[in-house]
Amino acid sequence: MKEALLKEGYQVKHVEDADSAYALLQHQSFDLVLLDINLPGISGLKLLELLKQEPKTASLPVIISSIRGDESNKVKGLEIGADDYMVKPTSLKELQARVKALLRRTQRSGQMSNIVESNGIRLDLDRQEAWVEGQRLELTQVEFQILILLIKRQGMLLSYQVLSEVISSGAKDITSQTVYVHINNLRKKLGRKGRLIETVYGMGYKFFPS
């Protein structure tokens, strides 16, 4: 995969495990991550969760890859925040096409866009600022990260488990009621736009654009 992308003119950095990848992404900027689920140590899916919780990497495009083609891994990866999913063995031409297509969607004038927008809600990921219909919102860090996930994965279910990871970085004592409190506060701050966050009872929440 690395050689195929190098031949297409991309600059490629390869690491062997999730810990190395996480450390690298904290210190260098990249346009895209090609992430194998089957990594030594923590899994690729867990690394994906960590990346989506970090403001610096939350908007980074990710293609996940795995030898396991079962639907549950694909759905979980996309739910967490992956932009695309490939099952190995993968055609190198298909890999090149998917990378090119994803970069085309996420790049503007050769640079990553760090602005997330939907239905009058605007999030500046670099400045950690949120605006709704031109008015700046005073959000907590947790509320900001929840809103990033909701908008980036609009129309898709975010389970209580995924949201609890954002709130607590994996603490086991976070309940659905705790998640509800944060969602409720976020809805109030969004005003009439708060109705775009829909409750899926017993499962989690979705962001539905009007």
Side-chain angles (χ1 to χ4, degrees):
M1 287 183 173
K2 177 180 178 180
E3 292 302 319
L5 293 172
L6 286 171
K7 288 179 180 178
E8 288 293 302
Y10 297 110
Q11 295 181 3
V12 183
K13 187 75 174 181
H14 173 257
V15 293
E16 298 285 347
D17 55 71
D19 289 333
S20 300
Y22 185 79
L24 183 65
L25 289 164
Q26 299 307 303
H27 296 94
Q28 295 186 35
S29 296
F30 293 86
D31 294 322
L32 182 145
V33 173
L34 180 59
L35 178 61
D36 197 318
I37 290 177
N38 307 103
L39 293 174
I42 66 172
S43 71
L45 288 178
K46 182 61 179 179
L47 174 59
L48 180 60
E49 290 182 9
L50 294 174
L51 295 178
K52 294 304 175 181
Q53 291 170 25
E54 291 282 345
K56 182 179 179 180
T57 54
S59 63
L60 185 59
V62 177
I63 300 175
I64 53 177
S65 175
S66 174
I67 59 174
R68 296 175 296 184
D70 60 281
E71 191 70 13
S72 61
N73 274 320
K74 177 180 179 179
V75 170
K76 185 172 182 180
L78 294 174
E79 183 182 62
I80 293 172
D83 298 272
D84 203 352
Y85 185 98
M86 297 190 301
V87 179
K88 296 189 295 185
T90 302
S91 159
L92 295 181
K93 288 187 177 180
E94 179 185 359
L95 168 68
Q96 293 164 346
R98 287 177 182 248
V99 167
K100 183 177 181 179
L102 184 53
L103 288 174
R104 186 168 56 242
R105 295 202 307 266
T106 57
Q107 288 183 335
R108 295 178 183 177
S109 302
Q111 295 192 3
M112 285 294 302
S113 170
N114 285 312
I115 302 295
V116 176
E117 293 184 272
S118 181
N119 289 261
I121 302 171
R122 177 183 174 90
L123 303 177
D124 187 322
L125 305 185
D126 289 331
R127 297 183 179 182
Q128 294 288 284
E129 293 178 352
W131 304 75
V132 60
E133 296 182 326
Q135 298 295 315
R136 184 173 176 178
L137 301 178
E138 295 298 332
L139 301 182
T140 66
Q141 185 67 16
V142 168
E143 291 164 355
F144 189 83
Q145 292 193 28
I146 287 175
L147 191 53
I148 289 174
L149 288 178
L150 286 168
I151 292 179
K152 283 179 65 64
R153 309 313 302 170
Q154 54 187 283
M156 298 181 65
L157 174 68
L158 287 180
S159 68
Y160 294 117
Q161 180 181 359
V162 169
L163 291 172
S164 69
E165 290 281 347
V166 176
I167 295 169
S168 63
S169 297
K172 301 298 184 182
D173 57 346
I174 298 300
T175 66
S176 60
Q177 181 61 29
T178 305
V179 175
Y180 167 77
V181 170
H182 287 287
I183 292 289
N184 194 44
N185 290 339
L186 181 57
R187 280 173 170 155
K188 289 178 180 179
K189 293 181 180 181
L190 288 171
R192 66 189 186 93
K193 296 293 184 179
R195 62 182 174 78
L196 299 176
I197 303 176
E198 177 179 310
T199 301
V200 182
Y201 291 99
M203 299 180 69
Y205 300 89
K206 290 183 179 181
F207 183 91
F208 272 111
S210 57

